[in-house]
Amino acid sequence: MILKTFSTLCAQSQVCFRSARAKSTLSAVIDETGKSGLILKSLSTDIFENLALEDWIHDHVDLQNRSMLFLWRNAPAVVIGRHQNPWQECNLQVMRQKGIPLARRRSGGGTVFHDLGNVNLTFFTSKKNYDRHRNLQVVTSALKGLRPDMDVRATERFDILLNGHHKISGTAAKLGRTAAYHHCTLLCSADRALLSAVLKPTCQGIKSNATQSVPSPVKNLLDEDPTLDCDTIMDSVASQYNTEFGFSSPVTLVDPSDELSLPGIQRMARELLAWEWTFGRTPKFSICTTFELKNDTSICNATLNMDIKNGIIESCDIEVPSDWLPVELSREFSIHLVGGKLCPYETSVIAAELLRTIPQNKELERKMYNLCRRVVFMM
């Protein structure tokens, strides 16, 4: 596989940093090369930088007479679709404990786990030439080129199955007014134990119209053939992409944090990182659930009813038996939560302030602490 860095491409096309040119640097370089096909490979493993680069290309590159393939991998992360509910899709508590970020992409589809054992492929085209079937054919042909007897095939849902049963690839897409991109995952050697742990939601009783993921049995390609590592697969996909579309493009390395080459890219990454996008864009939903409270001497069941819009608690009613906890305490907690984010950190601050107002009563303090802890756990 031929590799070029973006700086080399700039030098060869002699358009890097032309102040008179209105277009951004990468767009200018791509236009100057005149190539109808281009393959990019990210130097970053940051989920927000790579997602931002996808959107930057979609927004800034003229794709009417050009196609592009973008190859990228990420450090561990969970990525939800544009219209999904993170509390419904993943185990946020485990993710916080392990320092695994949550990202909301701008395409639809379901929730996926990324790590360095997962390859991501993004196919950019004009909206007119958008063809997920053909893109997935590139992927399956690339895999069969490495191992001809491998049973891999695309489904009507645009997944790729191994041996007719195990899912090794999921798909999502964004269709703009004139441009489009289709991206898919490819499980090579992902941490399946961690994948299972973070994609197992703990918040019960959610009622929502958000898009829900469809669970599927998964398998790593490396388990099928130990020679199928990520680099080998990316090389094969790049080669097959050129063959399928009649291109002769080398793989160009690109740094998605390079503000000079990609003006505005850092702002786009910050927008994807913001709580207001990741959690605040969740479709309106409610939580209606029962949970157990206990201390050294007693046990009871409590109920929680919440309405959440844009990640903000609009209404809250926590009911605890009055013989376990005074009604005014659970009511006060409910009132203080309204108007705040459905966020463990913000709720913990509210709970700490409320605990300081409780009269000197160790048993009441312990019970109230248990209630606060259980509510925070759901977030």
Side-chain angles (χ1 to χ4, degrees):
M1 179 178 66
I2 301 173
L3 283 176
K4 290 186 178 182
T5 62
F6 177 65
S7 57
T8 302
L9 196 62
C10 284
Q12 288 178 344
S13 58
Q14 298 180 338
V15 296
C16 190
F17 310 124
R18 283 185 180 176
S19 58
R21 189 150 188 164
K23 290 185 179 180
S24 59
T25 305
L26 180 58
S27 297
V29 171
I30 291 172
D31 288 345
E32 190 77 11
T33 63
K35 290 185 176 181
S36 57
L38 189 66
I39 302 174
L40 300 179
K41 184 177 181 181
S42 179
L43 289 168
S44 174
T45 58
D46 182 283
I47 179 61
F48 301 103
E49 291 179 352
N50 285 323
L51 288 176
L53 181 54
E54 280 190 319
D55 292 319
W56 194 97
I57 292 171
H58 177 271
D59 294 347
H60 292 85
V61 176
D62 183 0
L63 295 166
Q64 295 315 295
N65 298 298
R66 177 179 292 108
S67 298
M68 296 174 64
L69 171 64
F70 176 41
L71 306 168
W72 46 296
R73 292 191 296 160
N74 294 311
V78 173
V79 187
I80 59 173
R82 183 185 184 101
H83 307 293
Q84 290 199 291
N85 182 327
W87 292 276
Q88 196 172 27
E89 294 294 332
C90 44
N91 190 324
L92 294 168
Q93 185 182 43
V94 168
M95 291 168 60
R96 287 190 292 267
Q97 290 171 350
K98 295 185 177 294
I100 296 174
L102 173 72
R104 182 187 296 273
R105 59 181 183 267
R106 299 196 187 275
S107 61
T111 300
V112 290
F113 170 73
H114 289 189
D115 68 5
L116 293 175
N118 176 75
V119 171
N120 301 288
L121 314 164
T122 309
F123 298 85
F124 294 91
T125 61
S126 65
K127 188 175 181 180
K128 178 180 65 176
N129 292 327
Y130 170 78
D131 189 342
R132 284 189 287 184
H133 287 289
R134 193 174 185 186
N135 297 339
L136 294 180
Q137 179 63 39
V138 168
V139 180
T140 55
S141 295
L143 292 174
K144 289 180 179 179
L146 294 170
R147 183 172 167 179
D149 61 341
M150 180 179 289
D151 179 9
V152 286
R153 64 191 71 179
T155 71
E156 292 181 357
R157 290 178 53 85
F158 303 105
D159 298 326
I160 297 178
L161 296 185
L162 176 65
N163 300 325
H165 180 65
H166 290 100
K167 182 175 176 179
I168 58 170
S169 177
T171 237
K174 177 181 178 179
L175 277 70
R177 187 173 58 85
T178 59
Y181 64 74
H182 160 221
H183 47 196
C184 61
T185 56
L186 199 54
L187 289 172
C188 300
S189 56
D191 185 334
R192 288 174 54 196
L194 188 54
L195 181 155
S196 297
V198 298
L199 298 187
K200 190 177 294 180
T202 56
C203 187
Q204 303 298 317
I206 290 180
K207 296 179 181 178
S208 172
N209 291 323
T211 303
Q212 286 190 258
S213 300
V214 180
S216 303
V218 297
K219 189 174 184 179
N220 282 316
L221 286 165
L222 201 68
D223 295 334
E224 188 76 4
D225 185 338
T227 68
L228 297 179
D229 59 77
C230 291
D231 288 330
T232 299
I233 288 172
M234 284 191 287
D235 289 352
S236 184
V237 170
S239 176
Q240 186 61 36
Y241 179 77
N242 278 330
T243 299
E244 175 69 26
F245 293 98
F247 302 144
S248 58
S249 176
V251 175
T252 301
L253 302 177
V254 60
D255 179 1
S257 68
D258 185 354
E259 183 72 18
L260 290 175
S261 302
L262 306 158
I265 190 75
Q266 293 181 9
R267 173 187 55 78
M268 297 175 81
R270 287 195 300 270
E271 289 174 355
L272 290 168
L273 184 60
W275 190 95
E276 288 71 20
W277 169 255
T278 307
F279 293 97
R281 289 301 294 266
T282 301
K284 185 175 181 178
F285 68 104
S286 62
I287 300 173
C288 180
T289 188
T290 300
F291 55 94
E292 188 178 82
L293 292 171
K294 59 183 177 180
N295 64 1
D296 296 337
T297 59
S298 60
I299 299 175
C300 75
N301 288 323
T303 61
L304 170 67
N305 289 282
M306 268 187 187
D307 291 318
I308 300 99
K309 182 178 181 181
N310 298 327
I312 304 298
I313 300 170
E314 287 193 318
S315 67
C316 179
D317 180 27
I318 302 171
E319 294 185 3
V320 182
S322 58
D323 60 349
W324 200 84
L325 188 73
V327 173
E328 57 269 22
L329 287 179
S330 57
R331 183 183 297 130
E332 188 76 8
F333 188 30
S334 299
I335 292 170
H336 278 74
L337 290 177
V338 174
K341 296 176 181 177
L342 189 65
C343 165
Y345 308 113
E346 191 163 308
T347 301
S348 295
V349 171
I350 292 171
E353 292 175 351
L354 188 58
L355 283 168
R356 283 196 292 268
T357 68
I358 296 176
Q360 293 296 317
N361 184 317
K362 293 298 183 183
E363 184 178 3
L364 275 184
E365 285 182 15
R366 284 195 296 270
K367 289 181 176 180
M368 192 64 196
Y369 172 79
N370 286 339
L371 173 61
C372 296
R373 183 176 58 84
R374 287 305 307 270
V375 172
V376 167
F377 178 77
M378 298 178 197
M379 300 180 180

